[in-house]
Amino acid sequence: MADGARASEPLAPGLYLVATPIGNLGDITLRALAVLRAVDLIACEDTRQTQKLLNHFEIEKQMVSYHQHNERERAAELEEKLRQGARIAVVSDAGMPGISDPGSWLVKTAIAAGACVWPVPGANAALSALVAAGLNAERFSFEGFLPEKAGERRTRLETLAELAALRVTKINEAPATIIFYEAPHRIEETLKDVEAVWGGTVCVALARELTKLHEEFLRGTVAEVRAELGKRERVRGEMVLLVEPVKPDSAASADEPLVKRVAALVNGGLVEKEALKRLARETGRAKSELYRELQRERARR
Ligand code: SAM
């Protein structure tokens, strides 16, 4: 057992990455509470948020703020304390610190300073969503938040689709599920992009308000999930979006003439250039090659 994990002995010096609940306070672990009680100092993303958690569990502890705007200066101060043998916990507002939250810079600093770094695992939104989504959970990739700008978001999704298709064509493996964190005001736009990139039949899951009173999973094709959200007056809450990229062979029937497959996509709202790009991605063939094949098929008709 790692030194930082023995409950009965004094806590070893070092940096403790402590997971906190993502909604349900019952998800705090016994070890997280023991570590938070025993450390000399807690570095928190937001001290007010952590104070509420500490109050709930009747823990009194000195806190310092450690967030994306003071990460580097604060890491230098904390490094000095670690060198002197301090025991420091890092917590974010919710879940695992370092996962779409501050933490990783301090971890690198601590390791470089020769300090011990201990994970204290617990709640995490991405993994909680994945295990209950009903999609491929054997392989997955975590993408965090997509870019906010529409063009960059679409480019990121297209790149991810190309990478997923490569996995299938090069190593003949089922595509890995892709996990995103998303904000309620952007989810509908993002789902629209997912549909434009992978088609309406791609399977997705939207996990909302995990571990909270109004926890909900919307599972189905992206077209179905979009239709469901479209019925709602407002989409609220914290959410994780999971996409199981389409296998190239199931995306479109390889036997069907190209001209028909392009026509189907164009009827679905894509311009011909985009339709060819999509088919190139799905089949692993070059777009220029598909373009020539399309011209040949048209000439024969
Ligand atoms: N460090 C956290 C973790 O380990 O999951 C993630 C922090 S990130 C700043 C916050 C995002 O995580 C939210 O915008 C949402 O996408 C997702 N998230 C956090 N809590 C959630 C919950 N209870 N249900 C669904 N998604 C959640």
Side-chain angles (χ1 to χ4, degrees):
M1 194 189 278
D3 275 1
R6 291 196 192 104
S8 53
E9 291 176 16
L11 202 66
L15 186 69
Y16 291 80
L17 282 297
V18 181
T20 56
I22 56 169
N24 188 325
L25 290 180
D27 290 335
I28 192 92
T29 68
L30 295 175
R31 187 165 164 238
L33 291 176
V35 168
L36 292 175
R37 286 196 174 102
V39 287
D40 304 304
L41 180 67
I42 305 177
C44 332
E45 186 182 7
D46 179 345
T47 50
R48 287 162 305 178
Q49 193 66 24
T50 303
Q51 187 64 63
K52 287 187 212 155
L53 184 80
L54 297 186
N55 288 347
H56 182 86
F57 291 106
E58 297 179 353
I59 299 173
E60 276 184 39
K61 196 59 63 178
Q62 191 191 340
M63 292 182 284
V64 287
S65 68
Y66 173 72
H67 46 69
Q68 57 173 353
H69 304 295
N70 69 0
E71 207 172 358
R72 299 206 175 190
E73 310 100 80
R74 191 65 93 200
E77 291 164 28
L78 295 173
E79 176 193 346
E80 194 42 47
K81 291 188 192 299
L82 288 169
R83 282 185 193 279
Q84 291 162 10
R87 298 157 313 165
I88 301 175
V90 186
V91 297
S92 65
D93 288 352
M96 282 301 287
I99 304 297
S100 293
D101 267 339
S104 55
W105 183 261
L106 184 52
V107 168
K108 285 189 180 138
T109 309
I111 292 170
C116 289
V117 176
W118 317 103
V120 183
N124 163 256
L127 291 182
S128 306
L130 177 72
V131 293
L135 303 176
N136 178 10
E138 241 167 72
R139 286 202 177 76
F140 59 90
S141 69
F142 173 65
E143 288 296 325
F145 289 98
L146 282 161
E148 283 178 28
K149 288 192 181 148
E152 288 174 22
R153 186 173 59 227
R154 178 69 85 89
T155 306
R156 177 77 54 89
L157 289 172
E158 284 171 353
T159 307
L160 292 172
E162 279 161 25
L163 290 174
L166 263 183
R167 168 169 221 130
V168 182
T169 50
K170 295 275 179 202
I171 50 178
N172 198 23
E173 267 181 9
T177 296
I178 310 177
I179 309 175
F180 303 100
Y181 284 159
E182 193 47 284
H185 64 277
R186 275 197 302 265
I187 187 65
E188 290 182 272
E189 282 303 302
T190 297
L191 287 173
K192 202 167 151 192
D193 284 343
V194 167
E195 181 162 346
V197 170
W198 277 285
T201 55
V202 67
C203 289
V204 302
L206 187 64
R208 263 191 356 100
E209 296 288 85
L210 288 163
T211 78
K212 302 183 197 175
L213 189 62
H214 298 292
E215 175 174 299
E216 175 185 48
F217 276 84
L218 296 178
R219 304 177 178 92
T221 66
V222 67
E224 288 163 352
V225 170
R226 281 186 68 197
E228 173 55 38
L229 290 185
K231 288 184 209 153
R232 302 184 181 187
E233 215 169 278
R234 224 176 124 194
V235 184
R236 300 162 191 259
E238 294 193 283
M239 53 189 69
V240 182
L241 171 66
L242 305 99
V243 178
E244 191 178 68
V246 192
K247 289 184 197 164
D249 286 345
S250 59
S253 159
D255 300 335
E256 215 173 7
L258 188 59
V259 78
K260 276 198 166 176
R261 291 156 70 187
V262 170
L265 291 171
V266 169
N267 285 340
L270 293 188
V271 295
E272 188 172 294
K273 211 167 132 197
E274 280 178 342
L276 282 172
K277 198 165 157 195
R278 160 101 59 90
L279 288 170
R281 196 166 54 230
E282 290 172 354
T283 57
R285 294 172 63 191
K287 201 175 99 189
S288 53
E289 187 191 327
L290 290 179
Y291 177 76
R292 284 194 296 277
E293 185 175 322
L294 184 66
Q295 299 312 316
R296 281 197 299 276
E297 280 186 13
R298 281 184 177 148
R300 281 200 297 271
R301 279 167 181 256

